[in-house]
Amino acid sequence: MRNKLIAGNWKMNLTGVQIATLIGALSKQHIPTCVEVLLLPAFPYLAEVRTLLDGCQLKLGAQNLCAHEPGAFTGEVAAEMLLDVGCEYVLVGHSERRALFAESDEVVAVKFARAVAGGLKPILCVGETLPERESGAAFSVIKRQLDVVIANCGIDMFENAVLAYEPVWAIGTGRTASPEQAQEIHMYLRSQIAVHSAKLAGSIQILYGGSVKGANAVELLNMADIDGALVGGASLKASDFQEIIAAA
Ligand code: PEP
């Protein structure tokens, strides 16, 4: 039985005061042990959030990491530093990184390996754009994004990883994949993992991301291969995020 993981990707949002208020509210919610909740703040707030989370079961992760080991890379943040400030997870391959910062499948694979080497659990995001879906290429795009990481890192590196299916056309648009559309891709992703390891295919968590909100969370999270949600906009307001946690 896989736990549900609900991850809040705050992106480049929230100030220190807003974060303290949000965490104050979130920490009051009862969360059963079969549900994991993860917060992904911007770099400058990671240490502060770690302190705010002391004594509560919410987990901490980062939104990005450097593709290199610690060294002369001005402005970058290494996996080891994220671990040092208390991160457990890190996003890799988010569509905004791929599209806005030109991160190729190969760069994503290097970052995935760096995350694991640095002691973090990578959350590998994959997903197709609208033209790709409309041209019938959704499965091949997702397969390519996953295969490059498997080929470069090896399947064993996925032991401590999470997958996230995030159709680009559903991110921040208010347009969600239907539970059936999401389930179809999740099942496909699991089958692609099963090609390499049946055991891992049964245990790996696969999150759905793309305009998840209280109103659609129950239906999505009820699907057999959807093990949680990666939430952007709705993670910024306590009551919205709590509705999704309650759905899990
Ligand atoms: C995201 O950025 O990972 C995301 C899913 O955003 P939103 O929930 O706002 O669509």
Side-chain angles (χ1 to χ4, degrees), residues 9 11 94 96 166 170-173 209-212 230-234:
N9 176 13
K11 309 192 185 188
H94 189 281
E96 285 153 18
E166 295 212 299
I171 296 181
T173 59
S211 298
V212 177
L230 181 50
V231 186

Side-chain angles (χ1 to χ4, degrees), residues 13-247:
N13 292 300
L14 302 177
T15 61
V17 172
Q18 291 169 325
I19 287 171
T21 307
L22 180 55
I23 291 178
L26 294 178
S27 58
K28 292 197 184 83
Q29 186 174 16
H30 168 72
I31 302 171
T33 49
C34 58
V35 177
E36 300 163 72
V37 178
L38 167 66
L39 302 178
L40 302 158
F43 287 145
Y45 299 107
L46 286 170
E48 187 179 328
V49 171
R50 179 67 279 155
T51 305
L52 289 168
L53 294 183
D54 272 354
C56 80
Q57 68 189 95
L58 277 66
K59 296 162 183 262
L60 180 67
Q63 300 170 19
N64 186 28
L65 80 164
C66 182
H68 299 281
E69 291 180 26
F73 296 99
T74 303
E76 291 289 313
V77 178
E80 288 77 358
M81 295 168 178
L82 298 175
L83 186 75
D84 192 39
V85 296
C87 288
E88 190 178 339
Y89 291 86
V90 63
L91 292 182
V92 174
H94 189 281
S95 65
E96 285 153 18
R97 301 292 321 168
R98 292 180 191 263
L100 305 175
F101 299 94
E103 290 191 7
S104 64
D105 293 334
E106 287 70 24
V107 167
V108 171
V110 173
K111 287 192 170 192
F112 185 94
R114 272 268 68 237
V116 175
L120 300 169
K121 297 176 186 167
I123 301 177
L124 172 63
C125 305
V126 297
E128 81 287 1
T129 62
L130 191 57
E132 287 166 343
R133 173 156 282 263
E134 287 176 343
S135 67
F139 290 93
S140 61
V141 167
I142 284 154
K143 179 170 165 43
R144 189 203 71 226
Q145 291 173 338
L146 179 65
D147 281 354
V148 172
V149 181
I150 295 176
N152 283 278
C153 302
I155 196 68
D156 290 349
M157 270 204 202
F158 283 75
E159 289 286 346
N160 276 317
V162 172
L163 293 177
Y165 169 53
E166 295 212 299
V168 180
W169 47 272
I171 296 181
T173 59
R175 189 175 162 183
T176 321
S178 70
E180 294 73 24
Q181 279 175 321
Q183 166 60 23
E184 188 181 35
I185 300 277
H186 281 234
M187 198 170 69
Y188 178 69
L189 277 168
R190 211 176 286 291
S191 75
Q192 290 303 302
I193 297 291
V195 169
H196 304 272
S197 164
K199 184 166 169 276
L200 187 57
S203 62
I204 195 164
Q205 290 168 309
I206 309 180
L207 315 184
Y208 168 77
S211 298
V212 177
K213 42 187 183 286
N216 57 28
V218 170
E219 271 193 310
L220 285 161
L221 294 170
N222 262 337
M223 302 310 281
D225 289 294
I226 301 186
D227 306 313
L230 181 50
V231 186
S235 70
L236 299 174
K237 202 172 142 204
S239 56
D240 291 347
F241 197 48
Q242 284 173 316
E243 248 190 284
I244 299 168
I245 297 168

